[in-house]
Amino acid sequence: MVICPAVLHMHGELMRALCGACGARWDAPAEMAVADACPSCGKAATRPDVVWFGEYPYHMEEIWDAIRAAELFVAIGTSGQVYPAAAFVQDAGRAGVETLELNLERSDVSHDFDETRQGPATELVPAWVEEVLAGR
Ligand SMILES: [Zn+2]
């Protein structure tokens, strides 16, 4: 099994800033305001570099490529109600990728997973990792 070490921040990063005028990104200062000047274009359009409702998530093509190339797709802690992430399990299933849901309770998309396990992530995830590392 190949485990991809990359993290794709589809909803952005709170510790990063984004210029709403030119799209420049930089490390967020401890305190940030809309009136702060963009270090690239100088305009006062600073905002957190996070995806808000109604905005398109980042890295979607990379995410879909990673899902299609995966041997196993695991969702940990999801309501299964917010798209497009809620459809990742269906994308994986169409690509023939094995799917596993680790969740406190059944989600709205539990029926799309090959296997679901319910319980606290603090218990389910370490147990699952042990299984994976043991080759079970
Ligand atoms: Zn700018």
Side-chain angles (χ1 to χ4, degrees), residues 18-132:
L18 169 67
C19 174
C22 75
R25 291 181 165 84
W26 63 95
D27 289 336
E31 290 186 31
M32 185 167 48
V34 173
D36 293 347
C38 167
S40 183
C41 73
K43 292 187 178 161
T46 298
R47 55 169 276 187
D49 188 12
V50 296
V51 175
W52 290 329
F53 279 102
E55 295 179 334
Y56 196 71
Y58 301 151
H59 312 294
M60 290 306 298
E61 290 299 325
E62 290 172 82
I63 291 168
W64 284 319
D65 287 347
I67 288 171
R68 285 190 291 267
E71 295 175 30
L72 174 65
F73 172 82
V74 182
I76 302 171
T78 181
S79 66
Q81 295 178 340
V82 181
Y83 288 82
F88 288 165
V89 63
Q90 295 155 1
D91 298 330
R94 278 192 294 276
V97 175
E98 182 182 349
T99 57
L100 169 65
E101 178 183 58
L102 304 176
N103 216 26
L104 190 57
E105 56 193 20
R106 289 185 64 81
S107 73
D108 285 5
V109 293
S110 287
H111 58 275
D112 290 320
F113 283 86
D114 296 318
E115 180 184 352
T116 65
R117 299 179 189 180
Q118 281 79 50
T122 54
E123 295 172 14
L124 292 180
V125 174
W128 171 70
V129 169
E130 264 189 49
E131 286 178 33
V132 170

